[in-house]
Coordinates of all heavy atoms in Angstrom, one line a residue:
Q1 N 101.8 84.5 101.1 CA 102.3 83.3 101.6 C 101.5 82.1 101.2 O 101.9 80.9 101.1 CB 102.6 83.2 103.1 CG 103.5 84.3 103.6 CD 103.7 84.4 105.1 OE1 104.6 84.0 105.7 NE2 102.5 84.7 105.8
F2 N 100.2 82.3 100.8 CA 99.2 81.3 100.6 C 99.0 81.1 99.1 O 98.0 80.4 98.8 CB 98.0 81.5 101.4 CG 98.3 81.6 102.9 CD1 98.3 82.7 103.6 CD2 98.5 80.4 103.6 CE1 98.6 82.8 104.9 CE2 98.8 80.4 104.9 CZ 98.9 81.6 105.6
R3 N 99.7 81.8 98.3 CA 99.7 81.6 96.8 C 98.3 81.6 96.2 O 97.9 80.7 95.4 CB 100.4 80.2 96.5 CG 101.8 80.1 97.0 CD 102.4 78.7 96.8 NE 103.7 78.6 97.4 CZ 104.3 77.4 97.5 NH1 103.8 76.3 96.9 NH2 105.5 77.3 98.0
G4 N 97.6 82.6 96.6 CA 96.3 82.7 95.9 C 95.2 81.9 96.4 O 94.1 81.8 95.8
S5 N 95.4 81.3 97.6 CA 94.3 80.4 98.2 C 93.1 81.2 98.4 O 93.1 82.4 98.9 CB 94.7 79.8 99.5 OG 93.7 79.2 100.2
P6 N 91.9 80.7 98.0 CA 90.6 81.5 98.2 C 90.2 81.6 99.6 O 89.3 82.5 99.9 CB 89.5 80.6 97.4 CG 90.2 79.2 97.4 CD 91.6 79.4 97.4
T7 N 90.9 80.9 100.5 CA 90.5 81.2 102.0 C 91.3 82.3 102.6 O 91.0 82.8 103.7 CB 90.8 79.9 102.8 OG1 92.2 79.6 102.6 CG2 89.9 78.7 102.3
A8 N 92.3 82.8 101.8 CA 93.1 83.9 102.4 C 92.5 85.3 102.0 O 92.3 85.5 100.8 CB 94.6 83.8 101.9
H9 N 92.2 86.1 102.9 CA 91.6 87.4 102.7 C 92.4 88.4 103.4 O 92.8 88.3 104.5 CB 90.2 87.5 103.2 CG 89.3 86.3 102.7 ND1 88.5 86.4 101.6 CD2 89.2 85.1 103.2 CE1 87.9 85.3 101.4 NE2 88.3 84.5 102.4
V10 N 92.7 89.6 102.6 CA 93.4 90.7 103.3 C 92.5 91.6 104.1 O 91.6 92.2 103.5 CB 94.2 91.6 102.2 CG1 94.9 92.7 102.9 CG2 95.2 90.7 101.4
I11 N 92.7 91.6 105.4 CA 91.9 92.5 106.2 C 92.9 93.2 107.1 O 93.4 92.7 108.1 CB 90.9 91.7 107.1 CG1 90.0 90.9 106.2 CG2 90.1 92.7 108.0 CD1 88.9 90.1 107.0
A12 N 93.3 94.4 106.8 CA 94.3 95.2 107.5 C 93.7 95.5 108.9 O 92.6 95.8 109.1 CB 94.7 96.5 106.7
D13 N 94.7 95.6 109.8 CA 94.3 96.0 111.2 C 93.9 97.5 111.2 O 94.5 98.3 110.4 CB 95.5 95.8 112.1 CG 95.7 94.4 112.5 OD1 94.8 93.5 112.3 OD2 96.8 94.1 112.9
G14 N 93.0 97.8 112.0 CA 92.7 99.2 112.3 C 93.5 99.9 113.4 O 94.3 99.2 114.0
L15 N 93.4 101.2 113.6 CA 94.1 101.8 114.7 C 93.4 101.4 116.0 O 92.1 101.6 116.2 CB 93.9 103.3 114.5 CG 95.0 104.0 113.6 CD1 94.6 105.5 113.5 CD2 96.4 103.8 114.2
A16 N 94.1 100.8 116.9 CA 93.6 100.3 118.1 C 93.7 101.4 119.2 O 93.2 101.2 120.3 CB 94.3 99.1 118.6
I17 N 94.3 102.5 118.9 CA 94.4 103.6 119.9 C 94.1 104.9 119.3 O 94.1 105.1 118.0 CB 95.9 103.7 120.5 CG1 96.9 104.1 119.4 CG2 96.3 102.4 121.2 CD1 98.3 104.4 119.9
D18 N 93.7 105.9 120.1 CA 93.6 107.3 119.6 C 95.0 107.8 119.6 O 95.5 108.3 120.5 CB 92.7 108.1 120.5 CG 92.5 109.5 120.1 OD1 92.8 109.8 118.9 OD2 92.0 110.3 120.9
A19 N 95.6 107.8 118.4 CA 97.0 108.2 118.3 C 97.2 109.7 118.5 O 96.7 110.5 117.7 CB 97.5 107.8 116.9
Q20 N 98.0 110.0 119.5 CA 98.3 111.4 119.8 C 99.7 111.6 120.1 O 100.4 110.6 120.4 CB 97.4 111.8 121.1 CG 96.0 111.7 121.0 CD 95.4 112.8 120.0 OE1 95.9 113.9 119.9 NE2 94.2 112.5 119.5
R21 N 100.2 112.9 119.9 CA 101.6 113.2 120.2 C 101.6 114.2 121.3 O 101.2 115.3 121.2 CB 102.2 113.7 118.9 CG 103.8 113.7 119.0 CD 104.4 114.1 117.7 NE 105.8 113.9 117.7 CZ 106.6 114.2 116.7 NH1 106.1 114.8 115.6 NH2 107.9 114.0 116.7
A22 N 102.3 113.8 122.4 CA 102.4 114.8 123.6 C 103.3 115.9 123.3 O 104.2 115.8 122.5 CB 102.8 114.0 124.8
P23 N 103.1 117.1 123.9 CA 104.1 118.1 123.8 C 105.5 117.7 124.1 O 105.8 117.0 125.0 CB 103.6 119.2 124.8 CG 102.2 118.9 125.0 CD 102.0 117.4 124.9
R24 N 106.5 118.1 123.2 CA 107.8 117.7 123.3 C 108.5 117.9 124.6 O 109.0 117.0 125.2 CB 108.6 118.4 122.2 CG 110.1 118.0 122.2 CD 110.8 119.0 121.1 NE 112.2 118.9 121.1 CZ 112.9 118.2 120.3 NH1 112.3 117.5 119.4 NH2 114.3 118.2 120.3
G25 N 108.4 119.1 125.2 CA 109.1 119.4 126.5 C 108.6 118.5 127.6 O 109.4 117.8 128.2
P26 N 107.3 118.4 127.9 CA 106.9 117.6 129.0 C 107.1 116.1 128.7 O 107.5 115.3 129.6 CB 105.3 117.8 129.1 CG 105.2 119.2 128.5 CD 106.3 119.3 127.4
A27 N 107.0 115.6 127.5 CA 107.3 114.2 127.1 C 108.7 113.9 127.4 O 109.0 112.8 128.0 CB 107.0 114.0 125.7
R28 N 109.7 114.7 127.0 CA 111.1 114.4 127.3 C 111.3 114.5 128.8 O 112.1 113.7 129.3 CB 112.0 115.4 126.5 CG 111.9 115.2 125.0 CD 113.1 115.7 124.3 NE 113.1 115.3 123.0 CZ 114.2 115.3 122.2 NH1 115.4 115.8 122.6 NH2 114.2 114.8 120.9
A29 N 110.8 115.4 129.5 CA 111.0 115.5 131.0 C 110.5 114.2 131.6 O 111.1 113.7 132.6 CB 110.3 116.8 131.5
A30 N 109.4 113.7 131.2 CA 108.8 112.5 131.7 C 109.7 111.3 131.6 O 109.6 110.4 132.4 CB 107.4 112.2 131.2
L31 N 110.5 111.3 130.5 CA 111.3 110.2 130.2 C 112.8 110.4 130.6 O 113.7 109.6 130.4 CB 111.3 109.8 128.7 CG 109.9 109.3 128.2 CD1 109.9 109.3 126.6 CD2 109.7 107.9 128.7

């Protein structure tokens, strides 16, 4: 969006959580 401006730098976000997937059965029951 800044058309090559030298002040614009790409710094991607990092993972802010420890991404985990709960077991399907208990997860569905909880919801």
Side-chain angles (χ1 to χ4, degrees):
Q1 298 177 111
F2 301 101
R3 302 175 185 172
S5 168
T7 59
H9 307 265
V10 178
I11 304 178
D13 286 340
L15 276 175
I17 63 170
D18 180 16
Q20 300 287 335
R21 195 175 192 185
R24 176 187 174 97
R28 290 203 168 196
L31 294 167

